Amino acid sequence: MIKKIILDTDPGIDDVMAIMFAEAHPEVELRAITTIFGNVTIDTATHNALYLKEKYQLKADVVKGADKPLVRPPVGPSVVVHGESGFGDVEVPNEVEAVADPRSAHQYIIDAVKAEPNEITLVAIGPLTNLALALQAEPEIVNLVKEVVIMGGAFGVNDHRGNVTPYAEANIHDDPHAADIVFSASWPVVIIGLDVTEQSFFTGDYLEQLRDDAGELGQFIWDVSRFYLKFYRDKVGLDACHVHDPSAIAYVIKPDLFTLREGPVRVVTEGPAEGMTVQKFDGRKYLHDDWENHTPQRVGVAVKDAELLKLYRQCIVDYAHKVG
C-alpha cells in the first residue's frame, strides 16, 4: 500500500538522508517537501530542497515555510553541526532551475489534506512551526490528516533527555510553543524522539559501505556526512552519527520497528527547561493535571536498530541501482 507523505524539513545533513530514504522506498510517495528554519535559515532550507529536487529529479513539490518561531526569539542555524550550507562541506550551487510552489507551507498542507482526506501523513523532522500555523489557520485539518509523525523530543527513556540543553531536543527547543500546539491537537501523533533515534548509529564503516554499494547517491550521502561525523567525533566522542531524521521515515515504512508508549504530551515553553517534552502515561487522576484533557499521543520508547539499519541500506542501494 502506497503511503503518501508531506515531509516538513530543514535540510540539514540527516534531513538529506531522510528525504532520499522517502524518495527511494517504493511504498512511499513523497508528495511535497515543505521547508522550515532550523538547521539552516528558511532561504537556505528552501534552496537546499530545490537543489535536491533538481539533482535527483524529485517529483515532490517544494514549498517555503516559516522563517521564525511563533513566540520565542530565533535560536539561529545549527552551523556547528551542519555547516554554513546545511550540507557540511558539500557546496550547493548558487542557482538552481527548480522553483518553489507559490503558496506558504502551512497553506499547502491545508490544501493537500483537504483535497485527499485521511490519505496524507505529515512527517515533520524540523521545528513544528508550519504544522502549528496550519492548525491555527484551519483547525479542522485534525480530522483530515491520516497521521502525524514527528522526529523530535526526548522523554528520558534509555537515558536520553536532550541534545541542545540538558532536557530539550533541538527541533522542539527551536519552537516549543508550536510543538505544544501540535502535540495537544486532537489528531494522531507519533513522536520518534531521542529515546529511540540515539539508539541507532550510522557508523563510519556503514556509510563507507553505502558509498561503495549505492552509486552516486551513496557517494553524496557519504560526502555530506563527513562534516556531521566530524562533529560527532569531536563533540560527542563517537565515530558514528545518530539516526535522527531517517528514523521518522523508517516508522512510516515499517511501524513495527518501534515500541510506542501512549499518553498526552506537553511541552515546557519558558524557563531553563524550555523545549522539554513530558508525557503522562500512568493513567492516574491528579488534583492538578494539565495533561488530563489532552489527546493521548504515542512516543517511541524502543527500536529494532539492526533492522532499521538494514532497511535503510537496502532501500538506498536498491534505488541507486534502479535509477542507474
Side-chain angles (χ1 to χ4, degrees):
M1 181 178 176
I2 298 298
K3 300 167 181 178
K4 304 171 184 176
I5 73 170
I6 293 174
L7 182 55
D8 197 69
T9 174
D10 52 342
I13 292 168
D14 58 332
D15 302 77
V16 171
M17 298 171 176
I19 291 167
M20 297 313 300
F21 192 15
E23 174 65 17
H25 199 278
E27 294 178 11
V28 175
E29 183 180 342
L30 181 57
R31 286 295 187 88
I33 300 168
T34 52
T35 63
I36 187 68
F37 69 91
N39 293 329
V40 289
T41 67
I42 188 60
D43 288 337
T44 301
T46 307
H47 185 76
N48 287 351
L50 290 169
Y51 169 68
L52 291 175
K53 176 179 174 67
E54 184 174 296
K55 180 177 177 64
Y56 292 106
Q57 299 182 320
L58 308 182
K59 294 180 181 178
D61 294 329
V62 172
V63 196
K64 186 177 182 179
D67 64 351
K68 63 182 185 298
L70 295 180
V71 177
R72 69 155 301 160
V75 174
S78 302
V79 174
V80 68
V81 183
H82 297 273
E84 291 286 350
S85 73
F87 289 173
D89 294 322
V90 173
E91 293 186 10
V92 180
N94 291 329
E95 301 293 333
V96 295
E97 293 185 5
V99 295
D101 186 281
R103 287 168 284 184
S104 65
H106 78 270
Q107 188 60 52
Y108 185 99
I109 290 169
I110 292 167
D111 293 346
V113 300
K114 282 185 173 181
E116 296 184 274
N118 304 117
E119 292 190 26
I120 293 176
T121 295
L122 303 180
V123 183
I125 56 177
L128 300 181
T129 318
N130 289 333
L131 274 62
L133 289 170
L135 283 168
Q136 290 177 333
E138 286 285 354
E140 69 186 79
I141 66 170
V142 296
N143 300 313
L144 302 176
V145 170
K146 181 178 180 181
E147 191 171 45
V148 182
V149 180
I150 305 296
M151 189 278 120
F155 296 84
V157 181
N158 301 315
D159 205 30
H160 302 303
R161 297 179 181 84
N163 61 359
V164 292
T165 81
Y167 293 99
E169 179 275 331
N171 290 338
I172 307 305
H173 186 258
D174 273 359
D175 195 342
H177 297 84
D180 197 48
I181 290 169
V182 170
F183 296 159
S184 296
S186 58
W187 54 7
V189 177
V190 173
I191 304 170
I192 303 297
L194 303 186
D195 312 271
V196 285
T197 68
E198 290 191 347
Q199 294 295 102
S200 300
F201 300 89
F202 285 153
T203 65
D205 288 344
Y206 178 97
L207 292 167
E208 286 182 8
Q209 196 65 53
L210 195 67
R211 175 198 63 192
D212 294 343
D213 295 342
E216 190 279 335
L217 177 55
Q219 181 69 54
F220 184 68
I221 291 172
W222 188 84
D223 288 342
V224 298
S225 73
R226 297 304 87 203
F227 191 94
Y228 205 42
L229 261 67
K230 185 177 186 301
F231 166 79
Y232 271 90
R233 186 168 56 251
D234 294 348
K235 304 295 185 182
V236 187
L238 291 173
D239 183 27
C241 61
H242 297 306
V243 186
H244 291 309
D245 293 346
S247 290
I249 304 300
Y251 174 81
V252 172
I253 296 167
K254 202 171 189 301
D256 65 3
L257 290 173
F258 298 87
T259 301
L260 305 178
R261 184 180 72 188
E262 187 168 291
V265 175
R266 300 303 308 274
V267 181
V268 178
T269 56
E270 59 184 19
E274 184 177 39
M276 183 179 182
T277 47
V278 186
Q279 183 184 40
K280 179 192 175 188
F281 55 91
D282 60 8
R284 288 178 55 187
K285 298 288 184 181
Y286 293 87
L287 184 61
H288 305 286
D289 192 340
D290 284 337
W291 285 258
E292 181 68 23
N293 296 321
H294 290 271
T295 302
Q297 309 295 10
R298 293 179 293 164
V299 169
V301 294
V303 59
K304 299 173 183 175
D305 57 308
E307 289 185 41
L308 188 156
L309 294 172
K310 182 178 179 181
L311 172 66
Y312 188 86
R313 172 184 158 73
Q314 194 62 55
C315 179
I316 296 298
V317 170
D318 288 351
Y319 175 80
H321 290 169
K322 178 182 175 182
V323 299

